[in-house]
């Protein structure tokens, strides 16, 4: 499975899980963000603007660039965009619609893209952004020589251009950096975080804040049938104001039990009327949380929570489980992440924050480009303060490893079981001008104690389940060492 981030011009990122992106090694998660090439005719630069790469939403992104249309032909999903000759509805002289990605217009016709251009475009993306995460097979000099060798070739067909890109990327020795043919690239837009068939984005408003807009809809999905349209601004969900919230948070508000109603207040475009629309949920995502209370002795009990994956319901359902277990008298907690291969990166980050003190480091990201050099910190206090045991094994991967390492390094949990898988790469998926794409490793995750997750995994504190007195003693020693 692979996590990816879609990026559109002026949009924020969305994080999702797709099992088909990495055919070889075991299909555990890597982290992807989809980047966008410059909308100019030149292929000589990459637009490196990332909007909220870690704070915006989920782990998936598609970047579209001129002259391509964002309206793609999927069997069940269509993402709409205003074409050049579309006129915004309900417009007036005093109201201007948001600028959508520049897909060209009738007055500006881009020259045709050659096969050589496509290969050059892929080469530039790697040259600007690729991070050699331990393979030591990439250098600027060797990559420049490869460009010179390729550009001396005659590339007669698009198929040959794609094969050259495949061989070029394979030479990097990174199985997660790979070519995506157009058909595979288009499949990456099949997602729905809300349960009502819409995808949301964050857009800057005139006051310097952010507003939530509908990026795309499932054709004949619940929201589409109810009257919500692409470009609508989401103002509130069930009376809760959407202003100041991320697309991830608003998506969570839209979620709920299958076949229940949710009231979505929208503004049609920038210039249309406001309307409250009732939508019936059709939740396709199952809850990944199972929990129970177990009695340790006459005086204490433990709340056991099994988290199978980090999907759209993970944080909300985990919060519900933890609160119920605490109300039932749980004095300790077990978070079982065994066989959890990951999922939505942002969900993992938000879940880790539930256990941390405000200001504590959740994770670091590192990369060649400064945009991938981030420190993610908890912005609120913990949901629970009781001691925690996190169960891990060799199939605990990616987002699960972020949670496990964050709780461990901040002295909030001890780890019990086996060394984790060791998958901590960040990838960006860039769209090329012929609607194909390249997935490129651009960064990696590093734990709060500055340990590289990728290829190393995380060592547990105990192989067998310890006594709870040993758990509390280990956590106390950890706190003392951090204070010293």
């Amino acid at each position: 499975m692979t996590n990816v981030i879609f990026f559109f011009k002026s949009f924020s990122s969305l994080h999702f899980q797709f099992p088909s992106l990495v055919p070889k090694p075991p299909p555990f998660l890597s982290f992807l963000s989809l980047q966008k090439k410059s909308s100019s005719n030149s292929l000589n630069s990459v637009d490196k603007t990332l909007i909220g790469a870690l704070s915006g939403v989920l782990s998936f992104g598609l970047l579209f660039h001129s002259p391509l249309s964002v309206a793609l032909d999927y069997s069940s999903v269509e993402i709409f965009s205003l074409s050049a000759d579309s006129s915004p509805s309900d417009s007036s002289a005093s109201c201007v619609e948001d600028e959508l990605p520049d897909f060209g217009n009738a007055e500006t016709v881009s020259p045709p893209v050659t096969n050589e251009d496509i290969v050059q475009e892929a080469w530039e993306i790697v040259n600007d952004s690729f991070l050699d995460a331990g393979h030591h097979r990439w250098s600027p000099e060797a990559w420049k020589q490869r460009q010179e060798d390729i550009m001396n070739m005659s590339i007669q067909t698009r198929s040959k251009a794609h094969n050259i890109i495949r061989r070029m990327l394979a030479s990097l020795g990174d199985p997660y950096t790979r070519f995506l043919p157009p058909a595979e690239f288009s499949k990456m837009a099949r997602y729905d975080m809300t349960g009502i068939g819409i995808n949301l984005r964050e857009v800057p408003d005139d006051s310097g804040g952010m507003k939530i807009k509908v990026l795309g809809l499932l054709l004949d999905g619940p929201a589409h049938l109810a009257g919500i349209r692409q470009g609508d601004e989401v103002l509130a969900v069930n009376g809760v104001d959407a202003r100041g919230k991320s697309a991830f948070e608003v998506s969570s508000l839209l979620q709920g039990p299958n076949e229940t109603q949710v009231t979505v207040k929208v503004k049609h475009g920038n210039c249309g009327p406001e309307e409250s629309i009732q939508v019936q949920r059709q939740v396709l995502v199952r809850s990944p949380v199972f929990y129970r209370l177990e009695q340790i002795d006459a005086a204490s009990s433990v709340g056991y929570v099994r988290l199978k994956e980090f999907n759209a319901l993970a944080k909300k359902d985990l919060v519900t489980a933890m609160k119920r277990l605490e109300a039932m008298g749980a004095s300790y907690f077990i978070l079982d992440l065994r066989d959890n291969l990951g999922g939505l990166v942002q969900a993992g980050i938000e879940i880790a924050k539930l256990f941390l003190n405000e200001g504590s480091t959740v994770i670091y990201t590192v990369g060649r480009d400064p945009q991938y050099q981030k420190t993610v910190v908890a912005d609120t206090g913990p949901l629970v303060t009781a001691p925690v045991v996190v169960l891990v094994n060799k199939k605990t991967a990616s987002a699960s490893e972020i949670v496990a390492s964050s709780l461990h390094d901040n002295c909030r949990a001890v780890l019990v079981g086996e060394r984790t898988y060791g998958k901590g790469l960040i990838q960006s998926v860039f769209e090329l001008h012929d609607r194909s794409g390249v997935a490129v490793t651009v960064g990696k995750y590093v734990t709060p104690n500055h340990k590289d997750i990728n290829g190393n995994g995380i060592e547990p504190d105990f192989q067998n389940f310890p006594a709870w007195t040993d758990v509390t003693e280990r956590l106390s020693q950890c706190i003392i060492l951090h204070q010293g």
Side-chain angles (χ1 to χ4, degrees):
M1 300 179 186
T2 301
N3 286 0
V4 283
I5 306 172
F6 287 124
F7 287 97
F8 296 82
K9 184 179 180 181
S10 300
F11 303 176
S12 67
S13 59
L14 302 177
H15 299 260
F16 300 87
Q17 181 179 16
F18 291 84
S20 61
L21 293 182
V22 183
K24 296 177 181 177
F28 300 151
L29 298 180
S30 56
F31 300 88
L32 300 171
S33 64
L34 270 146
Q35 288 260 37
K36 178 182 182 299
K37 291 288 288 183
S38 171
S39 60
S40 66
N41 291 336
S42 170
L43 300 180
N44 294 327
S45 64
V46 176
D47 178 359
K48 299 201 172 182
T49 302
L50 275 179
I51 309 231
L54 289 175
S55 61
V57 215
L58 323 154
S59 181
F60 190 11
L62 273 185
L63 292 139
F64 295 90
H65 53 80
S66 176
L68 303 181
S69 168
V70 74
L72 303 177
D73 182 17
Y74 306 127
S75 60
S76 61
V77 178
E78 185 167 350
I79 299 178
F80 301 89
S81 70
L82 293 177
S83 61
D85 53 359
S86 299
S87 58
S89 61
D90 302 309
S91 60
S92 66
S94 62
C95 183
V96 179
E97 294 288 357
D98 284 329
E99 179 186 356
L100 289 176
D102 178 13
F103 299 124
N105 55 55
E107 298 178 359
T108 303
V109 179
S110 299
V113 179
T114 68
N115 297 323
E116 289 78 10
D117 287 338
I118 296 298
V119 175
Q120 174 69 12
E121 190 177 17
W123 181 91
E124 288 176 357
I125 290 168
V126 172
N127 188 62
D128 291 343
S129 302
F130 176 68
L131 176 71
D132 188 351
H135 299 286
H136 309 299
R137 293 174 62 174
W138 185 89
S139 70
E141 298 77 17
W143 195 244
K144 179 66 176 176
Q145 182 60 52
R146 181 164 290 276
Q147 178 197 33
E148 294 174 358
D149 294 341
I150 291 171
M151 290 301 103
N152 290 329
M153 301 171 57
S154 175
I155 308 175
Q156 298 297 325
T157 66
R158 189 54 51 87
S159 176
K160 184 175 181 180
H162 289 171
N163 286 332
I164 290 172
I165 295 172
R166 286 188 181 93
R167 293 196 299 270
M168 184 170 67
L169 299 181
S171 71
L172 298 171
D174 177 6
Y176 302 101
T177 295
R178 56 188 290 267
F179 174 73
L180 302 171
E184 184 173 348
F185 186 83
S186 70
K187 291 178 183 178
M188 299 173 73
R190 297 175 184 236
Y191 60 92
D192 173 22
M193 276 293 295
T194 64
I196 64 171
I198 62 175
N199 303 316
L200 302 178
R201 58 168 173 165
E202 297 166 28
V203 179
D205 60 23
D206 295 335
S207 64
M210 302 295 288
K211 56 187 176 182
I212 304 300
K213 303 277 281 189
V214 176
L215 168 61
L217 303 100
L218 289 169
L219 287 178
D220 297 326
H224 185 234
L225 292 175
I228 295 176
R229 293 294 177 259
Q230 187 268 346
D232 286 357
E233 179 184 353
V234 178
L235 302 176
V237 178
N238 284 337
V240 179
D241 195 341
R243 287 175 297 184
K245 291 182 169 55
S246 69
F248 183 85
E249 292 171 313
V250 176
S251 294
S252 297
L253 291 174
L254 290 167
Q255 297 159 11
N258 195 32
E259 298 184 356
T260 60
Q261 299 285 327
V262 60
T263 302
V264 186
K265 184 178 181 181
V266 300
K267 182 178 182 180
H268 295 297
N270 275 352
C271 312
E274 296 181 5
E275 182 181 4
S276 290
I277 300 175
Q278 276 211 332
V279 185
Q280 180 171 293
R281 298 179 175 104
Q282 293 181 5
V283 180
L284 302 177
V285 180
R286 294 182 178 181
S287 174
V289 175
F290 167 82
Y291 66 96
R292 65 175 181 265
L293 187 72
E294 296 184 354
Q295 203 71 28
I296 300 176
D297 52 41
S300 57
S301 55
V302 58
Y304 170 87
V305 181
R306 169 87 168 98
L307 184 57
K308 295 183 290 186
E309 64 174 326
F310 293 90
N311 65 19
L313 301 179
K315 179 186 175 183
K316 179 184 293 186
D317 289 356
L318 183 69
V319 169
T320 299
M322 299 291 285
K323 286 182 175 179
R324 288 179 179 175
L325 290 169
E326 190 172 44
M328 292 164 66
S331 24
Y332 306 97
F333 287 94
I334 296 173
L335 179 60
D336 191 348
L337 297 180
R338 291 174 298 180
D339 299 323
N340 185 328
L341 303 179
L344 308 182
V345 176
Q346 190 64 26
I349 290 172
E350 295 299 324
I351 284 172
K353 290 179 180 180
L354 296 175
F355 297 87
L356 303 182
N357 294 323
E358 184 176 358
S360 298
T361 299
V362 178
I363 201 75
Y364 298 105
T365 66
V366 298
R368 287 173 57 208
D369 193 298
Q371 66 183 330
Y372 299 113
Q373 299 169 13
K374 305 286 184 180
T375 301
V376 183
V377 299
D379 45 16
T380 59
L383 176 67
V384 296
T385 57
V388 180
V389 165
V390 178
L391 304 182
V392 295
N393 65 7
K394 60 185 178 182
K395 290 185 179 180
T396 300
S398 24
S400 293
E401 291 175 291
I402 291 176
V403 173
S405 64
S406 182
L407 271 60
H408 176 269
D409 290 2
N410 284 286
C411 305
R412 284 295 294 117
V414 298
L415 307 185
V416 177
E418 304 172 299
R419 179 197 290 263
T420 63
Y421 178 72
K423 185 68 182 69
L425 295 180
I426 305 169
Q427 292 178 292
S428 290
V429 174
F430 300 78
E431 188 186 24
L432 305 179
H433 274 74
D434 66 346
R435 299 193 184 185
S436 63
V438 288
V440 179
T441 296
V442 296
K444 60 184 178 180
Y445 287 100
V446 177
T447 74
N449 284 349
H450 301 282
K451 294 182 179 179
D452 188 352
I453 294 174
N454 195 64
N456 299 310
I458 306 164
E459 282 286 354
D461 299 294
F462 302 93
Q463 291 184 343
N464 299 311
F465 203 95
W468 283 104
T469 53
D470 294 334
V471 171
T472 54
E473 182 179 354
R474 177 65 67 95
L475 293 176
S476 297
Q477 291 174 349
C478 178
I479 293 171
I480 292 171
L481 287 173
H482 274 67
Q483 291 174 343

